[in-house]
Amino acid sequence: MMHALRKCLFFYLLTCLGLHALGSEIIHGEPVPEKMMPYMASLQDQFGYHICGGFLISEDYVLTAAHCAHVSKRCLTSVVLGTHDLRKVDDATMRYGVKICEHPSYKDFTTGDDIMLLKLSRKAQMSERLQKILLADPESKLKDNTLCRVAGWGAIVTNGGYVDKLLKVKVNVVNTNTCKEQWKMINFELPAKVICAGGYQTKEGFCQGDSGGPLVCGGKAVGVVSFNCHCDYPQKPQVPNVYTDLSKYRSWIDKTIKQNSCKM
């Protein structure tokens, strides 16, 4: 299994590199209109550089991928909310300190539970440019080929630099059994509680810097960007993109927020 992982460009291998790391892109995406997806968050390091994506789910919390906290020398120190353009950040109103709350069962993205809450240092003030997104219900089930959306800040060409403006792309949900079979072909056992969408039999998908962003279907966040194999779609091996299935973690999310168990 680890041999297969070394052959692939998984997210955490490169998130600790500099601004011009390989990948970090929404592939074949388009700009997000200013008032669309106002829940998107940019997780940033101590130098103010984008590391991962995330999304606002309450006045106090952003949801993201747990592996975004493990970026070697690049420490996750803040979240930027309320802008699609990372060149236009008012630190006084848009930047928030964070407390990291990883899922208690998380070890690394290869074994699953790749989900994390970030407690904001102050309540986010809702506005036209900043809104929460609803989460998938615990009993929700996605149908194969459901058309969804994923977004992020990243390069638009392999080996390029990050983009400043948020990009989005449409992706279709891939049957879970098909997804498992495709990953088995490169000797990797897919973890439980995941959704697959995009990156398979298509030119559209995500790449490294998009980690932690939401998979949005029917106006609700149903998944969290976790990992893929490479970003050169449709180059082989063409395995589906993998997301953490939010419907399987609603009880943990709701309990953490209700009990305020992630304290500053």
Side-chain angles (χ1 to χ4, degrees):
M1 183 181 75
M2 292 311 296
H3 177 64
L5 297 186
R6 284 192 290 269
K7 290 172 61 179
C8 296
L9 298 179
F10 287 103
F11 285 122
Y12 88 112
L13 299 178
L14 292 172
T15 49
C16 61
L17 298 183
L19 187 60
H20 300 286
L22 172 64
S24 307
E25 57 219 63
I26 284 290
I27 308 300
H28 300 291
E30 57 184 13
V32 179
E34 195 170 288
K35 296 179 183 179
M36 186 179 184
M37 305 184 81
Y39 43 78
M40 289 297 296
S42 170
L43 280 55
Q44 301 195 354
D45 66 10
Q46 66 269 40
F47 307 110
Y49 289 143
H50 175 79
I51 297 175
C52 282
F55 47 106
L56 187 69
I57 62 169
S58 77
E59 294 179 335
D60 297 301
Y61 286 90
V62 163
L63 197 58
T64 186
H67 76 256
C68 290
H70 303 275
V71 290
S72 189
K73 295 179 180 178
R74 295 186 65 189
C75 299
L76 169 56
T77 60
S78 65
V79 165
V80 168
L81 297 169
T83 183
H84 287 355
D85 190 339
L86 297 184
R87 297 170 301 180
K88 300 177 180 179
V89 176
D90 182 342
D91 285 341
T93 61
M94 296 178 177
R95 189 176 300 279
Y96 300 74
V98 293
K99 174 69 175 180
I100 294 172
C101 322
E102 289 182 14
H103 189 277
S105 299
Y106 175 75
K107 295 180 181 178
D108 65 65
F109 69 89
T110 66
T111 57
D113 299 318
D114 189 12
I115 188 169
M116 175 171 70
L117 281 164
L118 298 177
K119 173 71 181 297
L120 302 180
S121 55
R122 64 183 187 281
K123 289 184 181 295
Q125 300 299 311
M126 301 302 104
S127 68
E128 192 175 57
R129 293 171 181 261
L130 180 57
Q131 295 289 327
K132 299 172 288 186
I133 186 171
L134 296 176
L135 301 183
D137 299 323
E139 65 276 7
S140 65
K141 294 185 182 297
L142 283 176
K143 294 183 179 180
D144 298 348
N145 297 314
T146 297
L147 187 62
C148 304
R149 180 184 296 115
V150 64
W153 289 271
I156 56 174
V157 294
T158 301
N159 281 326
Y162 284 39
V163 297
D164 296 308
K165 293 186 176 181
L166 186 67
L167 298 178
K168 64 180 175 65
V169 71
K170 294 178 180 178
V171 293
N172 289 89
V173 174
V174 178
N175 177 273
T176 303
N177 289 330
T178 299
C179 188
K180 289 179 180 179
E181 291 169 1
Q182 294 301 312
W183 278 94
K184 278 185 179 180
M185 291 178 67
I186 59 170
N187 301 314
F188 179 74
E189 192 74 28
L190 206 64
K193 303 179 185 177
V194 297
I195 296 170
C196 299
Y200 175 67
Q201 297 182 341
T202 180
K203 293 182 179 179
E204 287 77 33
F206 62 68
C207 202
Q208 286 86 15
D210 301 319
S211 293
L215 177 65
V216 181
C217 308
K220 292 184 177 182
V222 303
V224 181
V225 174
S226 186
F227 64 88
N228 69 358
C229 183
H230 63 76
C231 315
D232 301 316
Y233 314 129
Q235 179 178 307
K236 294 184 182 301
Q238 194 180 26
V239 290
N241 293 172
V242 181
Y243 303 76
T244 302
D245 184 350
L246 281 177
S247 70
K248 305 295 193 298
Y249 294 91
R250 280 300 303 271
S251 59
W252 173 74
I253 294 169
D254 294 343
K255 180 180 178 182
T256 301
I257 292 176
K258 183 178 180 180
Q259 295 182 350
N260 196 25
S261 54
C262 183
K263 297 180 179 180
M264 300 299 294

